[in-house]
Amino acid sequence: MDLVKLFVISVLHVCLVGCQSTQSSQQASRPHPPSGGSSNLSFPWSRLRLPRYIIPIHYHLLLHPNLTSLSFTGSVQIQIDVQNNTNWVVLHSKGLQISKATILDQNFEHLSDQVLPVLHNPSHEQVGIFSPRVLSSGQKYFLYIEFGAELSEKFFGFYKSTYKTSTGETRVLASTHFEPTSARLAFPCFDEPSFKANFSVRIRRSPEFISLSNMPIVKTLEISGGLLEDRFVPSVKMSTYLVAFVICDFKSVTATTSSGIQVSIYAAPEKWQQTHYALKVAVKMLDFFEEYFNIRYPLPKQDLIAIPDFQAGAMENWGLTTYRETSLLFDPLTSSVSDKLWVTMVIGHELAHQWFGNLVTMEWWNDIWLNEGFARYMEYIAVEATYPELKVEEYLLHTCFAAVGLDSLNSSRPISSTAENPTQIKEMFDTVSYDKGACVLHMLRYFLTDTVFQSGIVRYLRKYSYRNAHNQDLWDTLANVRITHIRSIIHSNVTMSQCNKLHMHKISMMSTWTLQKGIPLITVTRKGSKLMFRQDRFLRTVLPTDPLCFLWHIPLTYKTDVSNAVHRHLMTKKTDSVHIGDDISWVKVNTDMTGYYVVHYEDGGWDEITKVLRENHTALSYKDRTHLIHNAVQLVTAGHLPLNKALDLIGYLQMETHTVPLLQGLGYLEAFYSMIERRNDHNLMHNLGVRGQTYARRHILGFFRGIIDQQTWSDSGSVLERRFRSEVLSLACHLNDQPCLEQAKQSFKNWLQSNGTLNLPTDVAETVFSVGAQDEHGWNSLFYTYTTSLSEAQKHKIMSALASTKDTNKLHRYIFFPLVFAQGLWYVGSCAEGGWEPTGHHLAWNFVKKNWNRLVQKLMQLFFESIKEQISELRAVQIALDNVQKNIRWMQRNLEPLQNWLNEQMKTKKDQIELLHE
């Protein structure tokens, strides 16, 4: 049953992420019989990727969206460069009704007196336009196409979005989301990242709306029918997936960067006051990136707009970045400090893309990590530099922990992977591209030094500006900078052969991290004065059956108790060693987790680490302490370390004062408890016993009693203290801690009595709402507030709180709430994965079973049809199966040890109480 559950969850996830574009345009017309007696023509192209002999140069695009009929018409004139003699132009189109197609020469003379035949290949999302007259190699032509379609009901292509005013009025806008393969839903185009071109956009609209696109408006004309036509400045060369336009009635705030770039934040009129923080961040970030990259932002303006219906977190369209409202808007009265950090990081991510992704774009989607890995890493660098008070450095640890979680499954993939069809391309936007990509870059930066790393990426950006790059191009540039740096340091005449050898060594090192999947496990053993290393692939599931040997070039770092110095060693073999001397008591490998690898200490090594943490934990940095907790638990999951060893290590946390390792350990203890709680397995209950379950909960509360009691129900303190408070009080109430529950209930009662005018402390509001949602009146009151609130931050907290109830009737009502069923279906997925109370967990599974046909009809039918030949190959399914196996093996290995450990803790506690009474 668990296999089926996770399979369904995975398909829901893939469908929610990717099938909207597949679904909306499988309605693409069947192949139309060509006119003019050419009905015997067959489609001229059989490959998924377009032919390279026709290159787009400039698009002249006219669009007229009708927000009443929810449809749009348009025309596009594409200047093309023909590089082989041909009668055919093949490009992308999906879901568009093409009414006219013609080709003109450079003098704008028609090549044919008749409308040209247009053939469709829906399976490849392509159209072929036939010219009776040969298009000659070396000549330029103009392809002109008229088309129309309905505005999409999904979140891809050119789609309809809506929002409600405070008076309940529904207003409509139209927006775009084209990455990776959905520009073809809005206009016929060469929809591949390497076909960069300039775009001149015109948009027709009613006067009550405004229109936005990548570039500023150069002029607005009045045309017939009371319409206005906005004409935008021609764009720089860019890929089709970065084109964007929005037609809406939003308001904005505007400021200017130090270099004169106009920055504007757009939002629904009644949410205009929530845009001011984003404006400050965007201006500051653009200034930072211009200085860091030493390349001016190439557009005259940068708009950021909060779209009410938006599935991704944000999108980096050049000059017009689009965001979920929760990713851009900040309300000081309802947004927590975590919300503020999230908004800051997302803006940093999207603005980093203006260079990494927009200025320099990957050649093909197999190297999407060049966009996303860099943007994910640069958001940390940018926030750390511009808002140091937000303490963003801890999030890099969690980013790498997330990457390890996926990369330690058999179903992982290399950072640079094959991706051809749209389904495979969508699957590339995953933890590997984003998080592992960022962590490998962090390791590389630490290995090369900050100076060399920054110089290398600046050189890379300059060399490939307005062009496309491969994975190898980045490595070549960084390796060359490294060689130049070394030569300048040693002031010697390094020979060409030595340079080439060094260059190839760096290339080889970097390729081991991007061209093979997985993460290394470094096993550390002490042999006298030597430290021995062995590398293997770290897997949390069954060992792979294929005989291929995994070998990485690993920049190892380590610290010892005799010095604060960080020692470095590049490991390029299966086994290796370094001399450390005889007077070393302990060694910590992977200093501050600057390297992307898991470390296991054999022959009593973990006992030595545990002793250090218990006797003098500050001998190690907070990052090292957090890393040790993470490694220990991962090794337990993989069967390399007994559970009691990891729990003994976590026991040092009673002396810990830093919030990051505290939260890491707290999270794992909660995860162990929740795993037992949510299983709802009679055999498990019998083996562990209700008493054991209760003690597990009491043990966690007792373990952190002092920390819990120190927390205030306020927004006071540093950023780290506020985030810690939010997590600790949430956990305490979840574990039924009576003082926590009483305070939350009183706060909720006060909030209700104030009729919502009392502003709860933002960092504990979600906990207060979750406790308040447990009774009938509280749940209904929150449900009403959700439907009327203008704060997306508050609505997000309420939505999570509503889902926390144990009342199945309320959960049933919640799941079928239209806003949840439409955009919020991911809540059902998170519920089924275990994010809610056990009651909700099982209800969500029953919901999926009972409503399978409805879900299929709404989301999946055409998605399944489009991938029926490759369903068994979907990585999401493979990951789900791997996770099932991992969880089963964890319970098999650790249920009895967990029971024994809890019994031992209960016995120890009992003995202590008896001693006190004596």
Side-chain angles (χ1 to χ4, degrees), residues 495-564:
T495 66
M496 185 60 68
S497 63
Q498 288 173 317
C499 279
N500 289 337
K501 184 177 180 180
L502 183 60
H503 176 86
M504 293 309 297
H505 176 66
K506 301 305 175 192
I507 297 299
S508 176
M509 171 196 162
M510 297 165 188
S511 295
T512 65
W513 294 98
T514 56
L515 299 183
Q516 70 177 352
K517 65 181 179 179
I519 179 171
L521 170 65
I522 300 298
T523 302
V524 181
T525 311
R526 292 277 297 278
K527 296 292 184 184
S529 63
K530 284 188 174 182
L531 198 62
M532 315 296 293
F533 302 111
R534 185 183 76 249
Q535 65 162 296
D536 302 281
R537 184 185 174 195
F538 177 65
L539 284 168
R540 294 189 298 162
T541 49
V542 293
L543 293 175
T545 55
D546 64 278
L548 294 177
C549 177
F550 287 82
L551 186 70
W552 290 265
H553 290 189
I554 308 171
L556 298 175
T557 57
Y558 61 94
K559 285 182 68 174
T560 70
D561 62 317
V562 300
S563 170
N564 288 326

Side-chain angles (χ1 to χ4, degrees), residues 167 235 250 253 290 308 339 385 437 462 468 479 519 529 533 542 555 566 617 629 656 703 719 806 819 897:
T167 60
S235 76
F250 286 6
V253 292
E290 284 194 325
D339 296 328
R462 288 185 180 277
N468 298 81
I519 179 171
S529 63
F533 302 111
V542 293
V566 177
H617 66 277
I629 295 170
E656 182 63 79
F703 193 84
V719 169
K806 300 176 180 65
L819 290 178

Side-chain angles (χ1 to χ4, degrees), residues 622-830:
Y622 84 87
K623 291 181 181 179
D624 274 336
R625 304 194 299 268
T626 309
H627 177 236
L628 286 168
I629 295 170
H630 172 266
N631 266 207
V633 174
Q634 298 306 306
L635 291 166
V636 169
T637 303
H640 294 291
L641 188 70
L643 176 63
N644 66 297
K645 294 284 187 182
L647 292 171
D648 287 344
L649 181 142
I650 291 174
Y652 98 90
L653 288 175
Q654 286 187 313
M655 297 166 283
E656 182 63 79
T657 58
H658 199 286
T659 60
V660 177
L662 274 170
L663 282 176
Q664 192 69 28
L666 191 64
Y668 284 132
L669 290 176
E670 181 187 16
F672 296 156
Y673 171 79
S674 297
M675 192 174 295
I676 298 167
E677 182 187 37
R678 292 188 180 115
R679 291 287 292 179
N680 198 27
D681 186 310
H682 294 297
N683 292 328
L684 176 61
M685 297 296 183
H686 176 74
N687 290 337
L688 191 61
V690 174
R691 183 165 172 256
Q693 275 190 293
T694 302
Y695 186 76
R697 174 174 57 81
R698 288 179 179 173
H699 175 76
I700 298 172
L701 289 173
F703 193 84
F704 292 101
R705 181 78 267 158
I707 293 171
I708 295 170
D709 291 342
Q710 290 172 9
Q711 305 309 311
T712 63
W713 293 70
S714 69
D715 283 339
S716 62
S718 68
V719 169
L720 287 179
E721 289 169 344
R722 292 178 63 183
R723 291 210 299 261
F724 184 68
R725 174 187 304 131
S726 176
E727 296 289 339
V728 168
L729 292 179
S730 174
L731 174 62
C733 284
H734 173 69
L735 294 178
N736 295 322
D737 179 58
Q738 284 307 307
C740 182
L741 291 174
E742 288 169 9
Q743 178 62 57
K745 288 177 181 177
Q746 185 60 50
S747 296
F748 187 72
K749 180 181 178 181
N750 294 341
W751 179 76
L752 281 181
Q753 289 177 345
S754 75
N755 221 10
T757 59
L758 173 68
N759 294 315
L760 290 170
T762 59
D763 300 318
V764 298
E766 186 170 335
T767 298
V768 171
F769 289 154
S770 295
V771 172
Q774 301 309 310
D775 67 47
E776 180 80 20
H777 178 63
W779 198 92
N780 289 332
S781 298
L782 284 168
F783 192 91
Y784 174 77
T785 302
Y786 177 86
T787 62
T788 58
S789 175
L790 291 174
S791 167
E792 289 303 311
Q794 184 183 59
K795 290 172 71 172
H796 183 80
K797 294 174 178 63
I798 292 175
M799 184 172 277
S800 295
L802 291 173
S804 70
T805 180
K806 300 176 180 65
D807 187 324
T808 55
N809 291 327
K810 292 187 180 68
L811 284 173
H812 190 269
R813 179 184 172 192
Y814 172 88
I815 289 178
F816 278 98
F817 183 47
L819 290 178
V820 175
F821 195 88
Q823 191 180 2
L825 261 174
W826 65 274
Y827 273 87
V828 178
S830 67

